[in-house]
Amino acid sequence: MPAIAFQGELGAYSHEACVAAHPDHDPLPCRTFEDAIAAVQSGRADLAMLPVDNSTYGRVADIHRLLPESGLKIVGEAFVRVRIALLGRRGTTLDRIRHVRAHLVLLPQCRDFLAAHDITAETAADSAGAAAELARNGAETDGALASELAAEIYGLDVLARDIEDHGHNTTRFVVMSRDAWHSAAGAGPTKTTFVFRVRNIPAALYKAMGGFATNGVNMTKLESYMVDGQFLATQFYADIEGHPGDPPVARALEELDYFTSSLDILGVYPADPDHFHGGLR
């Protein structure tokens, strides 16, 4: 069976994304994003599932630098609504839990729930890893905040569901492959992701972006980041709706190319239909 690599332990939200988007692939947990990318580069995995953005915390650190350097291509996207569950050892009950562990980003999202139940919290390197540790060595008064998938994998009970204070936290993932899977223009909702550097001329970025506006191409993301630690070397990462074979997109990219010193398309891939045109339908 083909494999799909992800960063984290089995039961992580990245694992959930793998199951939802590619249930026909065996999940391959990796320690770091670099390890997940390397698994595809070496052929140990056919695909990698990598988070790029979170609706609460913004861009995932370092990911925009890793994607262009990887040599891989984006072939799909997936969105996972981060639903947080309180997990406990088999047979325990919610009223007995006094202490929980979870990744740093999960704990603030459950502040109200934890306060209401007089539960103290401690950070862990990984929420699914905290669930695994709870199954191995936890006491009946200990818990973990993680996914329901983690509970299923590690034999834990789900003591409370959807305990996050706000129900909108969603992570966007991209699916990476060694080879591009370009679909034909007009085959359905499509996104194109690329990175570029503008030429050193006045108003270059403004002029480069003008082609998307005049051709009616929706740009859903534009972010800048330094290259090689230099303040003067800036690279831009962009997502647009559309296919390079669509005439408006082709014209916009042609105009962009004129004002850039480098332009690299990272992927042309089917858009998630529920997240097309800038928001949930």
Side-chain angles (χ1 to χ4, degrees):
M1 182 179 288
I4 181 168
F6 66 95
Q7 185 275 326
E9 302 277 354
L10 291 173
Y13 292 101
S14 293
H15 183 193
E16 277 197 337
C18 294
V19 172
H22 291 279
D24 55 337
H25 284 58
D26 276 336
L28 176 64
C30 298
R31 188 176 61 86
T32 65
F33 294 136
E34 289 90 344
D35 290 343
I37 289 170
V40 179
Q41 292 169 332
S42 67
R44 284 202 307 132
D46 301 272
L47 302 172
M49 181 71 72
L50 300 174
V52 291
D53 296 291
N54 178 269
S55 61
T56 300
Y57 295 96
R59 182 174 73 192
V60 175
D62 290 336
I63 200 68
H64 291 63
R65 173 183 59 81
L66 293 174
L67 297 188
E69 295 174 357
S70 70
L72 305 180
K73 293 297 183 181
I74 302 174
V75 296
E77 66 176 352
F79 292 80
V80 170
R81 163 78 162 78
V82 180
R83 299 184 181 277
I84 304 173
L86 173 59
L87 313 182
R89 291 180 62 85
R90 286 282 171 88
T92 194
T93 55
L94 174 59
D95 60 289
R96 301 182 67 182
I97 301 298
R98 289 293 170 263
H99 179 78
V100 297
R101 298 179 69 242
H103 189 278
L104 177 64
V105 301
L106 290 194
L107 296 178
Q109 299 176 47
C110 305
R111 186 178 290 112
D112 292 348
F113 178 90
L114 297 178
H117 292 83
D118 195 25
I119 297 173
T120 61
E122 177 187 351
T123 60
D126 180 87
S127 290
E133 179 64 23
L134 175 65
R136 288 192 297 265
N137 301 312
E140 291 188 353
T141 56
D142 292 334
L145 306 184
S147 68
E148 292 192 43
L149 178 60
E152 179 182 336
I153 290 171
Y154 299 114
L156 299 169
D157 283 348
V158 177
L159 306 181
R161 292 177 169 84
D162 298 338
I163 65 173
E164 57 272 18
D165 298 335
H166 304 286
H168 58 71
N169 191 9
T170 300
T171 299
R172 177 178 178 247
F173 295 82
V174 291
V175 183
M176 308 292 292
S177 172
R178 287 184 298 277
D179 302 308
W181 298 354
H182 287 186
S183 56
T190 301
K191 282 187 178 177
T192 299
T193 296
F194 53 92
V195 292
F196 65 94
R197 299 187 196 183
V198 295
R199 294 167 57 196
N200 189 21
I201 58 176
L205 180 60
Y206 173 79
K207 294 173 181 177
M209 294 297 94
F212 296 95
T214 57
N215 286 286
V217 177
N218 188 26
M219 180 170 285
T220 59
K221 178 185 226 16
L222 177 65
E223 291 196 351
S224 64
Y225 55 100
M226 289 188 299
V227 179
D228 298 328
Q230 300 180 43
F231 285 100
L232 297 179
T234 301
Q235 186 154 277
F236 294 87
Y237 176 103
D239 292 332
I240 59 172
E241 293 181 348
H243 191 289
D246 299 334
V249 175
R251 290 192 296 268
L253 289 175
E254 182 179 6
E255 189 167 339
L256 173 66
D257 186 58
Y258 179 78
F259 293 104
T260 59
S261 59
S262 66
L263 173 61
D264 182 19
I265 293 180
L266 302 183
V268 180
Y269 50 95
D272 186 311
D274 290 332
H275 294 79
F276 201 60
H277 299 308
L280 288 170
R281 288 183 174 179

